[in-house]
Amino acid sequence: MKNLDWNDLQSFLAVARGGGLTKAGAETGLSPATLGRRMLSLEEAVGRPLFHRSQTGYALTADGQSLLRRVLAMEASARPIAEWSGGKGQRPVVRISAGTWTANFFAENIFKLWSPDDPFRLAFKTTEAKLDIAHREIEIGIRNRAPDSPNLAARKTAVVAQAPFRARAHARPGEEEWLAIGREDAVTRSARWLNEQEDIQVAAWANTPRMLSDLIRAGVGKGILPCFAGDRDPLMERAGEPIEALEEGQWVVAHNDDRHRKEVRTVIDRITDLLTAHRALFAGERPLGME
């Protein structure tokens, strides 16, 4: 086996995380063609196929999954060296992964999570996918279920309700068609659930929750959003009752080792306080005065 190039392994990590060359290119700044050549070179070096290639992207083979676990471990091992080399006096970073709407809620309440006087910084990673806490991709993850791994600890904070929403200025309330996340981009349970319904008419598809929200606000149709997102938007109103099948819990998850770090524990406590203080909002109980 040839010596492996760390740059190729970092490119492999980006392709594995992004599920294809395009997203990996956006993350690394490399062209899809360059990444494709690097992946072929890496497969030649290890002597095994690492990906199932298709029109929808790059899916890891069993050997690819095995290599991914090892590269993640290498990345986690290298991080303390990178932090150390940053120089004395650097404030540690607490990385937080959350979906689009929870991240949006955190941004609106950022100074309840952090202040300029804190001896640490925050790094937000907004994604609907689950980043790997066990391999230290992040310190804190906001999840819709409790973790199975004994290495992870979790606190339940709230119950999250989901409901259909439309624009308040919709021309024909009650007659609007649906807006959906396309099947190939349907990562969340609500997006998959809507795609499984057979008796609906879809006016348009989006590939991200933010685009879905923009289409709703523009009056194109109705779509499913977490109540804590739709109810806070003055340009939206509910187009139906919360969908019971989509109700889910909300947990703050961290590695058992990391949660004892002072800065991580502080952020966990602040996130928990913020989310539990707004339990009614997350559960779909509308604020007073909201029609």
Side-chain angles (χ1 to χ4, degrees):
M1 184 179 71
K2 299 178 182 178
N3 291 331
L4 300 184
D5 188 318
W6 175 236
N7 290 328
D8 287 345
L9 292 175
Q10 289 179 304
S11 297
F12 165 79
L13 193 56
V15 174
R17 285 170 171 162
L21 302 180
T22 302
K23 290 183 179 179
E27 177 184 338
T28 62
L30 300 174
S31 69
T34 298
L35 286 168
R37 286 193 297 270
R38 285 194 175 186
M39 294 307 96
L40 289 171
S41 175
L42 183 60
E43 288 177 321
E44 181 182 352
V46 300
R48 307 175 193 180
L50 301 174
F51 298 100
H52 297 295
R53 295 168 172 82
S54 69
Q55 291 182 341
T56 58
Y58 276 42
L60 290 171
T61 63
D63 285 321
Q65 292 281 1
S66 181
L67 179 60
L68 176 62
R69 289 192 293 270
R70 287 162 172 78
V71 176
L72 286 171
M74 290 173 63
E75 184 186 48
S77 298
R79 186 170 295 115
I81 298 174
E83 292 174 353
W84 170 79
S85 67
K88 186 177 180 180
Q90 286 280 350
R91 291 178 292 167
V93 176
V94 179
R95 295 163 299 164
I96 305 168
S97 171
T100 296
W101 303 120
T102 303
N104 170 261
F105 183 77
F106 285 167
E108 287 189 1
N109 293 275
I110 184 62
F111 293 115
K112 293 182 180 177
L113 303 181
W114 174 87
S115 81
D117 296 326
D118 281 326
F120 58 83
R121 295 165 292 168
L122 299 182
F124 290 97
K125 296 180 177 286
T126 303
T127 175
E128 313 312 316
K130 287 201 309 183
L131 299 185
D132 195 332
I133 299 174
H135 287 97
R136 306 308 207 281
E137 284 191 281
I138 50 171
E139 279 71 50
I140 300 171
I142 309 302
R143 301 284 169 79
N144 62 2
R145 62 174 61 89
D148 298 324
S149 171
N151 294 325
L152 303 181
R155 293 185 193 176
K156 188 174 182 181
T157 61
V159 171
V160 178
Q162 311 253 356
F165 285 85
R166 63 182 170 226
R168 285 188 179 273
H170 197 281
R172 295 181 297 172
E175 299 179 22
E176 58 280 325
E177 293 184 321
W178 284 94
L179 301 168
I181 300 288
R183 289 183 184 275
E184 66 276 13
D185 298 302
V187 176
T188 65
R189 192 156 65 97
S190 60
R192 294 194 298 269
W193 180 87
L194 186 59
N195 278 304
E196 292 167 0
Q197 307 309 304
E198 297 179 353
D199 57 345
I200 65 170
Q201 293 293 322
V202 177
W205 284 268
N207 69 329
T208 66
R210 174 62 67 182
M211 184 60 187
L212 177 70
S213 173
D214 288 342
L215 291 171
I216 295 171
R217 294 170 104 233
V220 179
K222 62 185 176 183
I224 298 173
L225 294 175
C227 290
F228 75 88
D231 283 343
R232 285 167 35 241
D233 191 325
L235 298 180
M236 290 189 194
E237 64 183 10
R238 292 195 193 177
E241 294 300 315
I243 300 169
E244 186 175 351
L246 296 179
E247 184 176 285
E248 56 192 16
Q250 185 180 66
W251 280 264
V252 180
V253 184
H255 195 281
N256 271 323
D257 294 336
D258 287 341
R259 69 190 177 97
H260 295 297
R261 289 166 45 193
K262 184 177 180 180
E263 66 274 10
V264 175
R265 185 173 67 249
T266 296
V267 177
I268 289 174
D269 289 342
R270 290 176 183 175
I271 289 176
T272 301
D273 289 345
L274 175 63
L275 296 178
T276 53
H278 291 84
R279 276 177 173 162
L281 176 67
F282 281 83
E285 300 170 12
R286 306 186 203 189
L288 290 175
M290 181 170 286
E291 298 296 325

